[in-house]
Amino acid sequence: MNIRKVVIPVAGWGTRSLPASKNIPKEMLPVYNKPVVQYVVEEAMRAGVEDVIFVTNRDKSVIEDHFDYNLQLESVLERAGKREMLEQVRHVAEMVNIMAVRQKKQLGLGHAVLCARELVGNDPFAVMVGDDLMFGDDAGLQELVRVSKERSMPVIGVMEVPADRINRYGIVTGEEISPGVYSITEMVEKPAVGTTSSRLAIVGRYVLTPDIFEHLSRVKPGHGGEIQLTDALAALARERGMLAVKMGGLRFDAGDWVDYLSANVYLGLLDPGLRDGLRARLRAMLG
Ligand code: G1P
């Protein structure tokens, strides 16, 4: 399956990130020197995606603006001779094609994906949750794209989580058909702790076929009274089969403060210009 389009739902309120997200979309909060959503789009590009479809609301247009030219800023940087900055700012506008569709009511992740139906059309596509960050060599959406090409099946990303955290995720049960690849038998959105022995949690990366939209338009509100993507996926898995791939790399949930702060430190430590200074400060604080 060739994946050219990705749907990135970004219409959520971001209450976990308040008060930082009061007037800035949570996806625009910086992790080190880029907004969260830029890392997600860069990961999509590494997987071969060319078109990004944001599912937005009225307060999120700044996300689209981030991936557009800012001619005024560019001319200021040009006049100041700040070539490197200029290149970086321009590069963001040239990464991908951007489309946006409004989610006029916040009815859940499944509903957000359904809003993109017309823009997706009839090709397989990816979905990425806009505040899930994945870092590491070869980690991320490209792992799923590879498996979906090999097997011509929808594929979703999972990671193992501790048993007492399964109630925060969609949980997948499956049969391991090759190392780290599972044929899905069951999926439940945020099961209560102790109700399933599986610890394979969905991590916000999906490669889907357009027949998911039929299921999304039919599913009833599920967990939390919302239209859940997981419920539509479970129906699609029963109908045509679906794979889960245990993803490598590190995942950070940018809506969780421990993860958010850790992601900043992780990226800071990877920057040779910051590493020594950051290490010294961390050592002093921890000591
Ligand atoms: C969504 C999905 C859930 C998945 C999670 C990953 O939940 O519904 O299945 O495990 O993303 O981040 P949310 O975090 O939006 O409640």
Side-chain angles (χ1 to χ4, degrees), residues 137-180:
D137 289 344
D138 197 35
L141 185 66
Q142 60 204 21
E143 299 177 76
L144 307 187
V145 169
R146 199 180 315 119
V147 176
S148 75
K149 268 190 189 149
E150 283 164 13
R151 310 245 182 185
S152 290
M153 281 173 83
V155 179
I156 67 172
V158 293
M159 279 185 171
E160 247 170 59
V161 295
D164 61 352
R165 290 172 79 96
I166 59 165
N167 56 353
R168 301 172 181 217
Y169 299 93
I171 299 292
V172 164
T173 310
E175 192 189 318
E176 194 164 13
I177 55 172
S178 63

Side-chain angles (χ1 to χ4, degrees), residues 16 26 108-110 129 131-132 157 166 168-171 187-190 200-206 223 226-231 233 251 253:
R16 290 187 300 162
K26 64 180 169 71
L109 181 61
V129 169
D131 48 12
D132 260 345
I166 59 165
R168 301 172 181 217
Y169 299 93
I171 299 292
M187 298 173 81
V188 189
E189 181 66 13
K190 305 197 174 88
L200 294 177
I202 301 173
V203 291
R205 299 290 184 268
Y206 312 79
H223 183 86
E226 298 188 340
I227 304 290
Q228 294 291 352
L229 179 57
T230 303
D231 295 342
L233 291 172
R251 168 185 178 263
D253 172 3

Side-chain angles (χ1 to χ4, degrees), residues 247-287:
M247 300 183 83
L250 285 172
R251 168 185 178 263
F252 298 94
D253 172 3
D256 173 276
W257 287 117
V258 170
D259 272 22
Y260 177 82
L261 295 169
S262 308
N264 277 279
V265 171
Y266 172 76
L267 291 176
L269 289 173
L270 286 181
D271 183 333
L274 293 191
R275 190 181 298 145
D276 292 343
L278 185 55
R279 272 208 179 138
R281 293 299 296 261
L282 288 171
R283 220 177 278 126
M285 282 191 272
L286 291 170

Side-chain angles (χ1 to χ4, degrees), residues 41-269:
V41 169
E42 286 173 350
E43 181 189 327
M45 283 176 68
R46 287 196 294 277
V49 164
E50 293 163 17
D51 299 331
V52 170
I53 303 166
F54 288 121
V55 183
T56 67
N57 68 31
R58 58 189 310 122
D59 298 324
K60 301 269 182 157
S61 51
V62 65
I63 297 177
E64 291 156 66
D65 295 345
H66 182 70
F67 295 96
D68 199 349
Y69 292 106
N70 181 335
L71 297 179
Q72 210 176 349
L73 174 62
E74 286 178 28
S75 78
V76 169
L77 292 173
E78 190 141 40
R79 265 185 278 128
K82 300 197 165 164
R83 293 276 348 149
E84 203 182 319
M85 284 285 162
L86 178 63
E87 288 314 314
Q88 284 188 22
V89 164
R90 256 190 207 148
H91 167 70
V92 185
E94 289 166 354
M95 291 199 309
V96 281
N97 304 318
I98 296 293
M99 290 172 258
V101 60
R102 289 279 179 99
Q103 184 185 17
K104 295 180 191 166
K105 290 181 182 172
Q106 318 276 288
L107 301 180
L109 181 61
H111 175 256
V113 174
L114 184 57
C115 290
R117 185 177 198 163
E118 299 302 320
L119 290 178
V120 167
N122 268 327
D123 297 317
F125 66 105
V127 174
M128 299 170 83
V129 169
D131 48 12
D132 260 345
L133 296 175
M134 309 275 305
F135 296 123
D137 289 344
D138 197 35
L141 185 66
Q142 60 204 21
E143 299 177 76
L144 307 187
V145 169
R146 199 180 315 119
V147 176
S148 75
K149 268 190 189 149
E150 283 164 13
R151 310 245 182 185
S152 290
M153 281 173 83
V155 179
I156 67 172
V158 293
M159 279 185 171
E160 247 170 59
V161 295
D164 61 352
R165 290 172 79 96
I166 59 165
N167 56 353
R168 301 172 181 217
Y169 299 93
I171 299 292
V172 164
T173 310
E175 192 189 318
E176 194 164 13
I177 55 172
S178 63
V181 180
Y182 300 79
S183 172
I184 296 176
T185 50
E186 215 187 315
M187 298 173 81
V188 189
E189 181 66 13
K190 305 197 174 88
V193 170
T195 54
T196 167
S197 58
S198 176
R199 296 197 283 116
L200 294 177
I202 301 173
V203 291
R205 299 290 184 268
Y206 312 79
V207 171
L208 302 177
T209 44
D211 41 0
I212 189 67
F213 291 119
E214 264 322 295
H215 292 286
L216 282 171
S217 64
R218 281 204 299 264
V219 289
K220 299 269 176 302
H223 183 86
E226 298 188 340
I227 304 290
Q228 294 291 352
L229 179 57
T230 303
D231 295 342
L233 291 172
L236 187 64
R238 282 193 292 273
E239 188 178 273
R240 57 130 68 207
M242 189 180 292
L243 301 174
V245 168
K246 210 190 264 184
M247 300 183 83
L250 285 172
R251 168 185 178 263
F252 298 94
D253 172 3
D256 173 276
W257 287 117
V258 170
D259 272 22
Y260 177 82
L261 295 169
S262 308
N264 277 279
V265 171
Y266 172 76
L267 291 176
L269 289 173

